Amino acid sequence: MIVIDRDLRANGASVRNFGLITATGQERGASWTRARRTCAIWEEMAEQAGFPILQRGLWMMARRQESHAVLEAFAKTEMGEGCEILSRAAARACCGEIVNESVKAVLRSPMELRVESRQVIPKIAAWLAERQGVMFLRESAALCVEPPRIKTSRGMVAAGAAVVCPGDDMASLFPEHIAKYQLARCKLQMLRLADPGFRLPAALMSDLGLLRYAGYSALCESAPLRARLEVEQAEHLKQGVHLIVVQSADGSLVVGDSHQYGATQDCFSQQHIDRLILDEFTAATGRAPPEVRERWIGTYAASADRTMFIDAPALNVRIAMVTGGSGASTGFAFGEEVIVDLFGRSSS
Ligand SMILES: Cc1cc2nc3c(=O)[nH]c(=O)nc-3n(C[C@H](O)[C@H](O)[C@H](O)COP(=O)(O)OP(=O)(O)OC[C@H]3O[C@@H](n4cnc5c(N)ncnc54)[C@H](O)[C@@H]3O)c2cc1C
């Protein structure tokens, strides 16, 4: 097996993300099931490739009556399996540092995993190369994919079949096939904050996330919350801001994010948007944000109506794209489906 990548090392969405593998909140049905399977594979990968899971679980923190109602409704669905709702007092007993008077309740999920993507993705690649016999042809653009030959910027590669995973490049390979899915490029702003001096009990999200994630937002109980947030946090919604906070081994926090859609995205972070993210951090945790240590942007290919797709431009070629911004959470299970689609069986 050979992986062809035009970068010397992973530098796209897969290392710019939160490293949060989340099932809770993924779209009900196939996406949620994929996310649970993907969590299980991440656990296996961590053991085999030798990297740590830095955090486990999610706290979805509700500070409005309407968001509390969404959490209650969610917990009663099959997606709430294993989750529990903590009162403010119970949450405070677990982590007093982040539970202020505005918190109404917390949905605690045990399912989520958090890894440090920028360290883990290279580690997985090294494990694949050293232990699984996978070859990596780096700094090489795939120019034409027609098995049994793939033309690259460094010459021909022989391959009986190919899976094209172009990230957010919708123009280079099979553009006419990709165009059918009417994708946009989504730009996200991200921040790393200094260690706040205590450990988070889990990854954190807040009310805005209940509209962002289809597993919650598709519940009819989310309508009153949407109406209220459209009045109270209109600018956050306009910029696609919601809150995720995860913690790294050194205590620092990765905090985001925003979502802006278009064909071509500039590479500039806007202070105004960072401010909205940090305001939500303060509203959710009751704390002033620690000092900003890093800022970056990431992009992914986004669809308005599907979280992923497999397209078959030829019998032995598949285009596989996660288009819902959830590749870390659903990608491994999706990869299994792609292999079954291509070969009619799972790989060993
Ligand atoms: C800021 C941010 C935060 C996110 N947070 C999360 C999260 O916490 N949890 C989650 O589940 N998901 C998250 N996501 C989404 C997730 O990261 C993506 O869905 C996933 O990483 C996409 O993986 P990919 O391999 O398709 O794309 P990428 O990681 O972008 O990789 C694509 C690769 O293909 C190469 N390539 C493209 N075309 C060619 C070509 N013709 N020839 C050679 N090489 C080529 C590129 O150079 C690149 O290396 C986030 C995304 C972003 C941007």
Side-chain angles (χ1 to χ4, degrees):
M1 187 185 291
I2 185 163
V3 174
I4 302 167
D5 198 304
R6 64 181 163 217
D7 283 309
L8 175 61
R9 58 189 159 75
N11 193 39
S14 301
V15 293
R16 298 179 188 211
N17 61 25
F18 293 92
L20 180 63
I21 298 116
T22 177
T24 312
Q26 297 295 347
E27 190 176 29
R28 201 170 197 167
S31 288
W32 183 73
T33 305
R34 276 188 199 109
R36 287 170 59 103
R37 169 75 185 138
T38 299
C39 279
I41 299 175
W42 271 105
E43 293 267 20
E44 276 175 43
M45 287 300 306
E47 206 174 301
Q48 293 196 36
F51 57 81
I53 304 286
L54 298 177
Q55 281 181 284
R56 289 176 184 274
L58 170 73
W59 275 28
M60 176 55 92
M61 303 172 74
R63 61 177 190 275
R64 293 175 175 88
Q65 213 47 59
E66 292 83 349
S67 41
H68 189 180
V70 178
L71 296 188
E72 293 281 0
F74 179 85
K76 288 186 190 127
T77 69
E78 75 287 359
M79 300 179 287
E81 184 195 322
C83 298
E84 60 180 324
I85 295 191
L86 303 179
S87 64
R88 182 195 306 142
R92 194 173 268 168
C94 294
C95 189
E97 289 91 341
I98 55 164
V99 182
N100 62 84
E101 282 305 309
S102 72
V103 173
K104 293 265 182 293
V106 173
L107 180 86
R108 177 162 69 182
S109 160
M111 262 175 277
E112 282 60 35
L113 306 175
R114 201 262 156 173
V115 299
E116 196 69 66
S117 298
R118 58 179 80 175
Q119 293 166 2
V120 160
I121 299 296
K123 199 131 195 184
I124 293 175
W127 175 78
L128 288 170
E130 288 157 20
R131 307 293 289 273
Q132 304 293 317
V134 176
M135 286 172 58
F136 283 80
L137 184 61
R138 299 194 185 272
E139 295 180 279
S140 307
L143 302 176
C144 181
V145 178
E146 285 178 348
R149 279 177 303 279
I150 297 176
K151 185 178 174 195
T152 80
S153 52
R154 288 178 188 262
M156 287 293 183
V157 170
V163 179
V164 175
C165 305
D168 70 344
D169 182 338
M170 301 163 233
S172 299
L173 295 169
F174 303 107
E176 70 290 0
H177 285 265
I178 293 174
K180 288 186 295 192
Y181 299 93
Q182 299 187 316
L183 305 179
R185 195 169 271 116
C186 179
K187 169 186 168 188
L188 300 85
Q189 288 188 203
M190 302 281 286
L191 303 156
R192 185 178 289 272
L193 309 184
D195 179 1
F198 60 89
R199 297 302 301 183
L200 296 181
L204 308 181
M205 294 191 197
S206 70
D207 290 11
L208 290 165
L210 295 172
L211 297 190
R212 189 86 223 155
Y213 283 91
Y216 313 108
S217 66
L219 299 172
C220 54
E221 287 80 359
S222 72
L225 176 64
R226 182 176 297 280
R228 185 162 173 192
L229 289 179
E230 276 169 1
V231 174
E232 294 179 1
Q233 293 197 274
E235 188 58 18
H236 287 82
L237 296 187
K238 185 175 164 204
Q239 303 298 343
V241 168
H242 77 135
L243 184 73
I244 298 181
V245 185
V246 294
Q247 192 163 33
S248 293
D250 64 358
S252 64
L253 306 176
V254 176
V255 178
D257 55 9
S258 56
H259 297 78
Q260 293 172 298
Y261 298 89
T264 295
Q265 295 287 357
D266 65 36
C267 58
F268 308 111
S269 277
Q270 293 174 39
Q271 175 65 8
H272 162 62
I273 292 180
D274 284 352
R275 177 50 53 204
L276 291 172
I277 296 168
L278 295 173
D279 285 351
E280 183 65 8
F281 176 93
T282 297
T285 63
R287 304 180 71 87
E291 186 193 357
V292 176
R293 291 280 163 84
E294 284 180 348
R295 297 172 201 267
W296 67 97
I297 63 148
T299 56
Y300 61 74
S303 159
D305 58 4
R306 63 181 78 222
T307 54
M308 56 200 64
F309 71 83
I310 303 173
D311 194 283
L315 267 181
N316 50 3
V317 178
R318 295 294 180 273
I319 304 165
M321 296 176 73
V322 175
T323 52
S326 62
S329 305
T330 58
F332 283 146
F334 180 54
E336 290 182 327
E337 292 169 31
V338 175
I339 295 304
V340 170
D341 192 66
L342 185 55
F343 297 114
R345 61 184 162 77
S346 54
S347 65
S348 53

